Amino acid sequence: MTFKRKGVALAAVAMVGSSAACGGGAAAEDSKTLTVVMWGGSAQEAHVQSYVKPWAEVNGVEILQDQPTDYAKLRAQVESGEVSWGIVEVEPNFSATACEEGLLEKIDTEVVDTSVLDPQFVNECAIPNLQYAFNIAYNTDVFGEDHPTTWEEFFDTEQFPGKRGFWKYVTGGILEAALLADGVPADELYPLDVDRAFEKLDTIKDDIVFYETGDQQVQLLASGEAPLVQAWNGRVFQAAQQGQPVANEFNQHFLSYDQVVIPKGYPNADLAMEWMGHFVTDLQGQAADTRASAYAPVNDKALELLEPEILEELPTSEENAAKRATVIDYDWWAENYDAVSERFNEWLAS
Amino acid sequence: MSSSATTAPDRRAPSRGAEPDPRPAPPGAGSPAPPGKRRRFFLTDGWGALALPIAGYLLVVLIVPLAIVFARSFTDPTLGLGNYAAFFASPIYTDVLVNTFVTAITVTLITLLIGFPYAYLMTIAPPVWRSVLLVVVLVPFWTSLLVRSFALVLLLRDTGAINETLLSLGLISDPITMVRNFTGVLIGMVQVMLPFMVLPLYATMRGIDRRLLQAAEGLGARPAFAFWRVFVPLSAAGVAAGSLLVFIQSLGFYITPALLGGPDDVMLGELIVQQVSTVLNWGFASALAAVLLIVTLVLLAIASRFIDVRRIFWKEQ
């Protein structure tokens, strides 16, 4: 819950002051520089190499990087008027709240053609940059073909004994999974019945192991400590490619996505907006990123460029999209995050 | 702890209260004043000026930010005691506060139990072995906290090296849960904190004149009795200094409990980070930090009734 995503946030917490090295964006107002901030690690490398660097080379822009995204730093920069972060990868519930508070630049639809994107992933201040799933992942040494394929089975510790891994972060799909397991129809999930979700979670609380980072998630799963994990499909796919005994089940997956935003007052905001305009139709770049990071592209046309064995592992391929439970409703989460996250902490501690 | 650098120019050497300080001036406080004459204020002394840069530095990086944090806890988002009311309204925060102190105290006691004999061994070991013991205790300083915590998870988990070995030897039939619970937190934190206990203990013990023990035995005390009545009391300053260092630092932990603890082993530091970075509720985060600081200071004040805090830091060998 404290640490965000993709395994690197913790490392960055340990490396206090890493961002101080990257204050160059604001100082270099006149030159064409753009500072890109994402969740870090190999994923950030893949994103930047695939769809930021090629654009920058053509346009003579110097790309600076920082990591990972830190909402507190973003807010502090905007409030102090010293904005050095240009493109920032965020979670959709943050972009909704921050947009309302005036912390973000509005998207200029003259420059960024948002009509090529799924409108539910776009808001006034943000466009999506990738899609992924919160799905059932299983250890293939422990469970073969008869692994759980629904959340109801995932919660059935008698038929499928073993620990369950969940992300210790309340918007990570844990409540949604509990409600589906308890028989709530997928199209009636939101607004979430929080009480009911926690009651359902109580039934398996002793069997739950929480993970904080993507690395831990794969560790739990691959070691068999938690042979079933509510996972991020890309992480599991990468581990499977490296020969670890793990696999994704896409039935009843929840689709999630990340967005990119421009902090209010960034000196090179126009340049950042230009990049966004290029990105939404950069099919080659998005496809290249998917090959490198296993996150799904946001322009569906990019799917046509991808190989069948990669499509098999994407939540947005035609076959897997049909198995989807629902898209995480980040508008609901934006409104309810504070209260539900406090409730989650209470439940964890009780 | 020592507020001497920021107090108004007191004519006496750095004494924190109004009561006269019967002890000699601390090291570095200038030339000892002749008896009966008032000592000069140490900052106006030529050597004392060396302390000014650090005093200025602390003012900028510690005192001012702390003041801002306190102010913010009363003003953000609205003026008043709302943040503190919210703290006490929900059992989670008081539970976590209690858990934070219970964890810190337990860690302190365990490191003391392990560290005391270890430091004693260092004082009686031959020089080569003393260096080996010193290196062993210092290794944690040289490796990343994060790396060590992850490594401990690999070692201690149900399918980890220790459990696999015990299982394959047939010594146990079910894995012993040593991680993602309070045990995991203790193992992880004690391991990190041990140098902070051992080094002050060793420094104090090294200065104890071992002939005092011989004298006690010469007067008829058994070795154990002499050790307990002579050596242990003389090492009290080291015990107090080490315990204080470990206790205070333990209060601020959050990475280790987050990685090695279970869901109910949350410490206040983790909630503060969450409020700062995820919820962006800086007023409430400030209130959490203020409560932790105030409770810590109150506990120290109570402790200083029984332990002479000044003596720990200024003790002259």
Side-chain angles (χ1 to χ4, degrees), chain A residues 181-216:
Chain A
D182 205 32
V184 177
D187 54 353
E188 291 171 24
L189 270 180
Y190 297 98
L192 296 184
D193 185 340
V194 176
D195 292 331
R196 184 168 171 182
F198 281 115
E199 267 167 42
K200 182 67 182 176
L201 282 170
D202 277 334
T203 63
I204 62 161
K205 190 171 183 188
D206 292 341
D207 291 306
I208 296 181
V209 176
F210 286 95
Y211 59 84
E212 300 265 358
T213 69
D215 290 328
Q216 268 186 311

Coordinates of all heavy atoms in Angstrom, one line a residue, chain A residues 181-216:
Chain A
A181 N -16.1 -13.1 -6.3 CA -16.1 -14.5 -5.7 C -17.3 -14.7 -4.9 O -17.8 -15.8 -4.7 CB -14.8 -14.6 -4.8
D182 N -17.9 -13.6 -4.4 CA -19.1 -13.7 -3.5 C -20.3 -13.7 -4.3 O -21.4 -13.7 -3.8 CB -19.1 -12.6 -2.5 CG -19.9 -12.9 -1.3 OD1 -19.9 -14.1 -0.9 OD2 -20.5 -12.0 -0.7
G183 N -20.2 -13.7 -5.7 CA -21.4 -13.8 -6.5 C -22.0 -12.5 -7.0 O -23.1 -12.6 -7.6
V184 N -21.3 -11.4 -6.8 CA -21.8 -10.2 -7.4 C -21.5 -10.2 -8.9 O -20.4 -10.5 -9.4 CB -21.1 -8.9 -6.8 CG1 -21.6 -7.6 -7.5 CG2 -21.3 -8.9 -5.3
P185 N -22.6 -9.9 -9.8 CA -22.3 -9.9 -11.2 C -21.3 -8.8 -11.6 O -21.3 -7.7 -11.0 CB -23.7 -9.6 -11.8 CG -24.7 -9.8 -10.7 CD -24.0 -9.6 -9.4
A186 N -20.5 -9.1 -12.6 CA -19.4 -8.2 -13.0 C -19.9 -6.8 -13.3 O -19.3 -5.8 -13.0 CB -18.6 -8.8 -14.1
D187 N -21.1 -6.7 -14.0 CA -21.6 -5.4 -14.4 C -22.2 -4.7 -13.3 O -22.7 -3.5 -13.5 CB -22.5 -5.6 -15.6 CG -23.6 -6.5 -15.4 OD1 -23.6 -7.2 -14.3 OD2 -24.6 -6.6 -16.2
E188 N -22.4 -5.3 -12.1 CA -22.9 -4.5 -11.0 C -21.9 -4.3 -9.9 O -22.3 -4.0 -8.7 CB -24.1 -5.3 -10.4 CG -25.3 -5.4 -11.3 CD -26.4 -6.4 -10.8 OE1 -26.4 -6.6 -9.6 OE2 -27.2 -6.9 -11.7
L189 N -20.6 -4.4 -10.2 CA -19.6 -4.3 -9.2 C -19.6 -2.9 -8.6 O -19.5 -2.7 -7.4 CB -18.2 -4.6 -9.8 CG -17.7 -6.0 -9.8 CD1 -16.3 -6.1 -10.4 CD2 -17.6 -6.5 -8.3
Y190 N -19.6 -1.9 -9.4 CA -19.5 -0.5 -8.9 C -20.9 0.1 -8.8 O -21.7 -0.1 -9.7 CB -18.7 0.4 -9.9 CG -17.2 -0.1 -10.0 CD1 -16.8 -1.0 -11.0 CD2 -16.3 0.2 -9.0 CE1 -15.5 -1.4 -11.1 CE2 -15.0 -0.3 -9.0 CZ -14.6 -1.1 -10.1 OH -13.3 -1.5 -10.2
P191 N -21.1 0.9 -7.8 CA -20.2 1.2 -6.7 C -20.0 0.0 -5.8 O -20.9 -0.8 -5.5 CB -21.0 2.3 -5.9 CG -22.4 2.1 -6.2 CD -22.5 1.6 -7.6
L192 N -18.7 -0.2 -5.4 CA -18.3 -1.4 -4.6 C -19.1 -1.5 -3.3 O -19.2 -0.5 -2.6 CB -16.8 -1.4 -4.4 CG -15.9 -1.5 -5.5 CD1 -14.4 -1.6 -5.0 CD2 -16.2 -2.7 -6.5
D193 N -19.5 -2.7 -3.0 CA -20.1 -3.0 -1.7 C -18.9 -3.3 -0.8 O -18.6 -4.5 -0.6 CB -21.1 -4.1 -1.8 CG -21.8 -4.3 -0.4 OD1 -21.3 -3.9 0.6 OD2 -22.9 -4.9 -0.4
V194 N -18.4 -2.3 -0.1 CA -17.1 -2.5 0.6 C -17.3 -3.5 1.8 O -16.4 -4.3 2.0 CB -16.5 -1.1 1.1 CG1 -15.3 -1.3 1.9 CG2 -16.3 -0.2 -0.2
D195 N -18.4 -3.3 2.5 CA -18.6 -4.2 3.6 C -18.6 -5.7 3.2 O -17.9 -6.5 3.8 CB -19.9 -3.9 4.3 CG -19.9 -2.5 5.0 OD1 -18.8 -2.1 5.4 OD2 -21.0 -1.9 5.0
R196 N -19.3 -5.9 2.1 CA -19.4 -7.3 1.6 C -18.1 -7.8 1.2 O -17.7 -9.0 1.4 CB -20.4 -7.3 0.5 CG -20.7 -8.7 0.0 CD -21.9 -8.7 -1.0 NE -22.1 -10.0 -1.6 CZ -23.0 -10.2 -2.5 NH1 -23.9 -9.3 -2.9 NH2 -23.1 -11.4 -3.1
A197 N -17.3 -7.0 0.6 CA -16.0 -7.4 0.1 C -15.1 -7.8 1.3 O -14.4 -8.8 1.2 CB -15.3 -6.2 -0.7
F198 N -15.1 -7.0 2.3 CA -14.3 -7.4 3.5 C -14.8 -8.6 4.2 O -14.0 -9.4 4.7 CB -14.1 -6.2 4.5 CG -13.2 -5.1 4.0 CD1 -13.6 -3.9 3.6 CD2 -11.8 -5.5 3.8 CE1 -12.7 -2.9 3.2 CE2 -10.9 -4.5 3.4 CZ -11.3 -3.2 3.1
E199 N -16.1 -8.8 4.2 CA -16.6 -10.0 4.8 C -16.1 -11.2 4.0 O -15.8 -12.2 4.6 CB -18.2 -10.0 4.8 CG -18.8 -9.4 6.1 CD -20.2 -9.1 5.9 OE1 -21.0 -9.9 5.3 OE2 -20.7 -8.1 6.4
K200 N -16.1 -11.1 2.7 CA -15.6 -12.2 1.9 C -14.1 -12.5 2.1 O -13.7 -13.6 2.3 CB -15.9 -11.9 0.4 CG -15.5 -13.1 -0.5 CD -16.4 -14.3 -0.3 CE -15.9 -15.5 -1.2 NZ -16.7 -16.7 -1.0
L201 N -13.4 -11.4 2.2 CA -11.9 -11.5 2.5 C -11.6 -12.1 3.8 O -10.7 -12.8 4.0 CB -11.3 -10.1 2.3 CG -11.1 -9.6 0.9 CD1 -10.6 -8.2 0.9 CD2 -10.0 -10.5 0.2
D202 N -12.5 -11.8 4.8 CA -12.3 -12.4 6.1 C -12.3 -14.0 6.1 O -11.6 -14.6 6.8 CB -13.5 -12.0 7.1 CG -13.3 -10.7 7.7 OD1 -12.1 -10.3 7.8 OD2 -14.3 -10.0 8.0
T203 N -13.0 -14.5 5.1 CA -13.1 -16.0 5.0 C -11.8 -16.6 4.6 O -11.5 -17.8 4.9 CB -14.2 -16.5 4.0 OG1 -13.8 -16.0 2.7 CG2 -15.5 -15.9 4.4
I204 N -10.9 -15.9 4.0 CA -9.6 -16.5 3.6 C -8.4 -15.7 4.2 O -7.3 -15.9 3.8 CB -9.4 -16.6 2.1 CG1 -9.4 -15.2 1.4 CG2 -10.4 -17.5 1.5 CD1 -8.8 -15.3 0.0
K205 N -8.7 -14.8 5.2 CA -7.7 -13.9 5.6 C -6.4 -14.6 6.1 O -5.3 -14.2 5.8 CB -8.2 -13.0 6.8 CG -7.2 -11.9 7.1 CD -7.8 -10.9 8.1 CE -6.8 -9.8 8.3 NZ -7.2 -8.9 9.4
D206 N -6.5 -15.8 6.8 CA -5.4 -16.5 7.3 C -4.5 -17.0 6.1 O -3.4 -17.4 6.3 CB -5.8 -17.6 8.2 CG -6.4 -17.0 9.5 OD1 -6.1 -15.9 9.8 OD2 -7.1 -17.8 10.2
D207 N -5.1 -17.2 5.0 CA -4.4 -17.8 3.8 C -3.8 -16.7 2.9 O -3.2 -17.0 1.9 CB -5.3 -18.7 3.0 CG -5.6 -19.9 3.8 OD1 -4.7 -20.6 4.3 OD2 -6.9 -20.2 4.0
I208 N -4.0 -15.4 3.3 CA -3.5 -14.4 2.4 C -2.0 -14.0 2.7 O -1.7 -13.8 3.9 CB -4.4 -13.1 2.4 CG1 -5.8 -13.5 1.9 CG2 -3.8 -12.0 1.6 CD1 -6.7 -12.3 1.9
V209 N -1.2 -13.8 1.7 CA 0.1 -13.3 1.9 C 0.1 -12.0 1.0 O -0.3 -12.0 -0.1 CB 1.2 -14.2 1.4 CG1 2.6 -13.6 1.5 CG2 1.2 -15.5 2.2
F210 N 0.6 -10.9 1.6 CA 0.6 -9.6 0.8 C 1.9 -9.4 0.2 O 3.0 -9.6 0.9 CB 0.1 -8.5 1.7 CG -1.3 -8.5 2.0 CD1 -1.8 -9.0 3.1 CD2 -2.2 -7.9 1.1 CE1 -3.2 -9.0 3.4 CE2 -3.6 -7.9 1.3 CZ -4.1 -8.5 2.5
Y211 N 1.9 -8.8 -1.0 CA 3.2 -8.4 -1.5 C 3.2 -6.9 -1.7 O 2.1 -6.3 -1.8 CB 3.5 -9.1 -2.9 CG 2.5 -8.9 -4.0 CD1 2.5 -7.8 -4.8 CD2 1.5 -9.8 -4.2 CE1 1.6 -7.6 -5.8 CE2 0.5 -9.7 -5.2 CZ 0.6 -8.6 -6.0 OH -0.3 -8.4 -7.0
E212 N 4.4 -6.3 -1.7 CA 4.5 -4.8 -1.8 C 4.9 -4.5 -3.2 O 4.7 -3.4 -3.7 CB 5.5 -4.3 -0.8 CG 5.2 -4.5 0.6 CD 4.5 -3.4 1.3 OE1 4.3 -2.4 0.6 OE2 4.1 -3.5 2.4
T213 N 5.7 -5.3 -3.9 CA 6.3 -5.0 -5.1 C 6.1 -6.1 -6.2 O 5.8 -7.2 -5.8 CB 7.9 -4.8 -5.0 OG1 8.4 -6.1 -4.7 CG2 8.2 -3.9 -3.8
G214 N 6.4 -5.7 -7.4 CA 6.3 -6.7 -8.5 C 7.3 -7.8 -8.4 O 7.0 -9.0 -8.7
D215 N 8.5 -7.5 -7.8 CA 9.5 -8.6 -7.7 C 9.0 -9.6 -6.6 O 9.1 -10.8 -6.8 CB 10.8 -8.0 -7.2 CG 11.5 -7.2 -8.3 OD1 11.3 -7.5 -9.5 OD2 12.1 -6.2 -8.0
Q216 N 8.4 -9.1 -5.5 CA 7.9 -10.0 -4.5 C 6.8 -10.9 -5.0 O 6.7 -12.0 -4.7 CB 7.3 -9.1 -3.4 CG 8.3 -8.8 -2.3 CD 7.6 -8.0 -1.2 OE1 6.8 -7.1 -1.4 NE2 7.8 -8.5 0.0

